[in-house]
Amino acid sequence: MKTHSAKCHSARRKPFKRMAARAIGAAAATALAVGSVGAAPLQRLGAGEGRVDIVAWPGYIERGQTDAKFDWVTDFEKKTGCKVNVKTAGTSDEMVALMNEGGFDLVTASGDASLRLIAGKRVQEVNVGLVPSYGKIDPRLQKAAWHYVDGKHYGVPYQWGYNVLAYNTKVFTTPPNSWEVVFKEMNLPDGKSNKGRVQAFDGPIYIADAALYLKATQPALGITDPYSLDEKQYKAALDLLRQQRKIVARYWHDAFVQIDDFTNEGLAASSSWGFQVNVLKSKGQPIASVVPKEGATGWADTTMMHVDSKHPNCAYMWLEHSINPKLQGDLSAWFGSVPVVLSACKGNALLGDKGCENNGLNEFERIAFWRTPVANCGGGRTCVPYYKWVSDYIAVLGGR
Amino acid sequence: MSAAAWQAGRADPIARFARYLHSRPRLMLALLLTPPLLWLGVIYLGSLLALLAQSFFYIDEFSGQVVRELSLRTYAELLTEPNLLVVARTVAMAAAVTLACALIAFPVAYYIVRYASVRLKALMYLGVMVPLWSSYIVRVYSWKLILAKEGVITWLAEHLGALWLLEAILAVPVLGGPSLSFSMFGTFIVFVYIWVPFMILPIVAALERVPRSLMEASADLGAAPIATFRRVILPLAFPGVVAGSIFTFSLTLGDYIIPKVIGTSHPYIGTVVYAQQGVAGNVPLAAAFTVVPMIVMAVYLTIARRLGAFNAL
């Protein structure tokens, strides 16, 4: 159970992570960035400076203190002489704020924070030539849009994960193959209505989940990216969510409350994370998960380097260390996420041979990775920015 | 004190300073009061004013960034229908919770003051206070289990053959839901549970101050117990009820955790403020939203003052 309690701890931050604010950070970052010079990346690795300061999600950088089996810091410190100092942050906002303050070398930024940090010039270009294993990273992630901007690398991918459709196997004898079961009022296979028995995520980013469903079911809307919605597409998503409000008795935002809802409230289906599903399974609950045919939304994190990093050599050593297969596999087992280095999926005792698959490795193509919706969404289009998503989602929850 | 010690005291700079202050009482007062006043003025009122100022900025439609120009745009946004609905819902909940707390607290307080033996009194005080010592979050989460569809209350209703009653309650439109923990009733019950001690204590204080002689005089003059209660006790203890209601009303108005854990996910002022500043980065709107409970409470306190609540605090 020790592992569990630690996992619990790490999972707690996710709701906030996804709910975390975006626009304010961008504003603050831009304001603070004035005057800082865009430093050229390091060209040759020198001797370590003796320490490296990292801002990370709780549970992301473990030194065996929670569970002795999960330790990917001690050997790094021994090998390089760089002492690792971790400052945990619970939300993307907190991460952006800490990076704006300065005094750190690295940050494990999610897709929503990473672009903000780049736009705010709080992170520096990374010379991937100094990260010898960079080529071993999943090719699909090497130049992902949330860290590769204008032909420059701004970080090294760390881990990723996604949102699943969790369902009660007693209600669904065959897995549901569409998000429809949580969006539209209908009778479930057990003959009873889904009204009051399904949940949705209590965060504005869930509008993207609605858009993803519409992308597949209403091609006439022309949705290509659920994070870039024009007025018409956005309105359709909101209409769908208003319909959904009628069948959702309660929205979830805390992993543990949802675990309890599946256990004690007779919940039939909901958007969820692998984490809840794993805990429920371990408690013998009849819960399983699936990525429906429409695909799913997800998150991908990148280790990025502060523009004024005081320990760049140690930072580069960590970047290289962060993608070694052992660390990646252990972290994946610990966190329920997917490694960015595919060789990590084989021969890891903690992860098991099916670990990567269970955590979603094969679903990559069907995942719409989290990005901050911005007004200027490219191609001459104007999209609905994130702060509007927030107000409107509040209105939807209020029944308007 | 010997002359030598006196001499030494004269030379001691602290003693000299003390004597200097002693002859200048105003300066001493200023020195003593400056730190707490600074705390109150700068940290407390200052942050409040900063918040107010924020509410007059606005979010740029296009970039989503805060524009630091004075404008009433944010207030125009605040006054749209979904937001007004949030305000109405929160105020209605706060009023209902306050009323229920008063109805529960008064008999309890009355019993504590008038009937309980010394030992029982201590025990009852303890009973009221002990929940306040444990974590608020833990208590809210445990209520979630009590109210769950497969929780204690349903189990009890089943065994008492009162399931029909529970179902009738849950069938009430708007307030009901699939289970108590998924309904506005649930939110209400937990609010009442959490805040009722804040109502009991001021009423106890007010009742303690009602002189027994007045009640005896009332009885001597031929008033029935009900008349004594209505015309002597209640008017004298009412300021205590109003004082308690200030707590229950304002605490419900600002809470953002209970509606997040228990109920139907309908937004309340607290949850909206939390979302607007924490999630959206729309600090101006969050600030404008916090102005609402400030206004509501200002009105409420003005009325409470008229009712003499501050004499009972």
Side-chain angles (χ1 to χ4, degrees), chain B residues 228-240:
Chain B
T228 307
F229 178 80
R230 259 195 26 208
R231 305 182 62 171
V232 179
I233 299 171
L234 198 58
L236 285 172
F238 193 65

Side-chain angles (χ1 to χ4, degrees), chain A residues 12 16 19-24 26-27 30 93 196 199 202 204 245 249-251 253-254 257 260-261 263-267 375-376 382 385-387 390-391 394-395 397-400, chain B residues 59-62 64-66 77 81-82 85-86 89 141 144-145 148-150 178-179 181-182 259-267 272 274-283 285:
Chain A
R12 269 197 168 278
F16 301 109
M19 280 165 60
R22 331 284 153 168
I24 187 172
T30 330
D93 282 331
Q199 282 189 337
D202 180 4
R245 181 67 180 106
R250 203 182 141 63
Y251 290 72
H253 74 120
D254 179 316
V257 174
D260 183 58
D261 288 343
T263 316
N264 291 320
E265 301 282 0
L267 213 55
N376 178 11
T382 302
Y386 188 64
Y387 86 94
V390 179
S391 295
I394 288 169
L397 259 58
R400 280 289 180 279
Chain B
I59 282 259
D60 182 73
E61 285 272 342
F62 190 72
Q65 300 190 353
V66 177
E77 204 185 330
E81 199 211 342
L85 202 69
V86 171
R89 182 181 303 122
Y141 274 67
K144 184 170 188 306
L145 293 178
K149 194 175 209 160
E150 287 159 36
S179 81
S181 91
F182 277 24
K260 277 268 175 205
V261 179
I262 309 224
T264 50
S265 296
H266 279 91
V272 173
Y274 181 77
Q276 289 292 0
Q277 67 87 29
V279 182
N282 194 344
V283 178
L285 188 56

Side-chain angles (χ1 to χ4, degrees), chain B:
Chain B
M1 197 187 282
S2 72
W6 173 249
Q7 283 299 325
R10 272 182 81 90
D12 180 7
I14 294 174
R16 274 223 312 270
F17 184 61
R19 269 195 300 282
Y20 174 80
L21 279 184
H22 186 71
S23 56
R24 289 165 185 81
R26 274 169 187 279
L27 180 65
M28 188 161 74
L29 190 69
L31 282 179
L32 282 174
L33 273 181
T34 306
L37 279 182
L38 270 182
W39 172 268
L40 196 71
V42 177
I43 307 216
Y44 195 78
L45 289 178
S47 60
L48 211 60
L49 284 177
L51 186 83
L52 264 177
Q54 285 281 349
S55 71
F56 291 99
F57 298 154
Y58 61 95
I59 282 259
D60 182 73
E61 285 272 342
F62 190 72
S63 67
Q65 300 190 353
V66 177
V67 181
R68 296 180 170 271
E69 278 169 28
L70 292 186
S71 155
L72 286 174
R73 243 187 255 197
T74 303
Y75 282 94
E77 204 185 330
L78 175 69
L79 296 177
T80 53
E81 199 211 342
N83 291 340
L84 289 177
L85 202 69
V86 171
V87 173
R89 182 181 303 122
T90 312
V91 171
M93 178 61 83
V97 167
T98 299
L99 199 68
C101 280
L103 289 177
I104 294 169
F106 202 94
V108 175
Y110 195 80
Y111 187 83
I112 291 177
V113 173
R114 288 279 172 251
Y115 296 103
S117 65
V118 178
R119 270 184 76 182
L120 185 62
K121 206 178 208 172
L123 212 65
M124 289 188 77
Y125 269 126
L126 209 65
V128 174
M129 307 283 276
V130 159
L132 298 180
W133 301 345
S134 67
S135 160
Y136 161 91
I137 304 276
V138 170
R139 283 182 291 145
V140 172
Y141 274 67
S142 51
W143 266 97
K144 184 170 188 306
L145 293 178
I146 296 171
L147 298 174
K149 194 175 209 160
E150 287 159 36
V152 183
I153 290 188
T154 314
W155 181 86
L156 216 63
E158 248 170 39
H159 282 71
L160 294 175
L163 216 50
W164 59 271
L165 183 67
L166 187 63
E167 272 162 15
I169 291 172
L170 290 176
V172 176
V174 184
L175 302 179
S179 81
L180 274 176
S181 91
F182 277 24
S183 69
M184 277 203 197
F185 274 128
T187 321
F188 168 78
I189 291 169
V190 178
F191 266 132
V192 171
Y193 163 78
I194 296 280
W195 303 137
V196 83
F198 295 92
M199 182 64 99
I200 294 177
L201 297 177
I203 297 183
V204 166
L207 282 172
E208 294 271 17
R209 271 189 265 171
V210 179
R212 205 168 274 262
S213 57
L214 282 184
M215 290 152 74
E216 282 160 6
S218 169
D220 287 346
L221 291 170
I226 290 183
T228 307
F229 178 80
R230 259 195 26 208
R231 305 182 62 171
V232 179
I233 299 171
L234 198 58
L236 285 172
F238 193 65
V241 179
V242 180
S245 77
I246 294 172
F247 294 126
T248 57
F249 193 79
S250 64
L251 288 170
T252 312
L253 221 49
D255 191 86
Y256 66 97
I257 293 177
I258 293 171
K260 277 268 175 205
V261 179
I262 309 224
T264 50
S265 296
H266 279 91
Y268 288 79
I269 291 178
T271 55
V272 173
V273 170
Y274 181 77
Q276 289 292 0
Q277 67 87 29
V279 182
N282 194 344
V283 178
L285 188 56
F289 247 107
T290 41
V291 172
V292 175
M294 281 159 70
I295 293 171
V296 173
M297 279 319 289
V299 173
Y300 196 87
L301 289 176
T302 313
I303 298 170
R305 212 182 83 130
R306 293 249 169 99
L307 295 171
F310 296 111
N311 307 330
L313 280 175

Side-chain angles (χ1 to χ4, degrees), chain A residues 132-148:
Chain A
S133 305
Y134 199 87
K136 290 181 191 151
I137 289 176
D138 190 335
R140 300 171 295 189
L141 286 165
Q142 288 190 10
K143 290 185 175 178
W146 49 90
H147 60 81
Y148 184 75

Side-chain angles (χ1 to χ4, degrees), chain A residues 52-226:
Chain A
V52 57
D53 297 293
I54 310 176
V55 179
W57 294 112
Y60 245 21
I61 295 178
E62 290 288 317
R63 56 164 76 243
Q65 281 171 337
T66 327
D67 185 327
K69 283 187 298 200
F70 295 90
D71 178 0
W72 42 90
V73 171
T74 312
D75 62 331
F76 171 78
E77 289 181 339
K78 264 190 213 141
K79 205 169 62 192
T80 64
C82 301
K83 177 152 181 13
V84 177
N85 294 301
V86 177
K87 165 85 186 157
T88 57
T91 67
S92 283
D93 282 331
E94 215 178 320
M95 286 195 172
V96 175
L98 286 169
M99 290 301 275
N100 284 343
E101 239 171 62
F104 298 98
D105 301 303
L106 297 168
V107 61
T108 60
S110 296
D112 52 317
S114 61
L115 288 176
R116 250 155 72 181
L117 290 167
I118 297 169
K121 297 190 169 52
R122 291 290 85 196
V123 290
Q124 58 173 286
E125 187 188 344
V126 169
N127 179 1
V128 293
L130 296 181
V131 184
S133 305
Y134 199 87
K136 290 181 191 151
I137 289 176
D138 190 335
R140 300 171 295 189
L141 286 165
Q142 288 190 10
K143 290 185 175 178
W146 49 90
H147 60 81
Y148 184 75
V149 177
D150 296 336
K152 289 177 185 167
H153 289 277
Y154 284 94
V156 176
Y158 196 42
Q159 293 264 302
W160 59 272
Y162 65 106
N163 305 308
V164 296
L165 174 59
Y167 61 95
N168 188 316
T169 51
K170 286 195 176 144
V171 177
F172 294 92
T173 41
T174 53
N177 68 346
S178 167
W179 287 104
E180 184 183 31
V181 295
V182 297
F183 280 119
K184 302 222 154 137
E185 183 162 1
M186 61 193 301
N187 281 339
L188 298 181
D190 65 354
K192 285 183 271 180
S193 166
N194 61 353
K195 195 172 180 185
R197 298 203 292 156
V198 294
Q199 282 189 337
F201 184 60
D202 180 4
I205 195 57
Y206 191 74
I207 293 175
D209 287 68
L212 192 70
Y213 172 73
L214 291 176
K215 179 184 169 187
T217 52
Q218 290 186 35
L221 285 168
I223 296 173
T224 50
D225 172 1

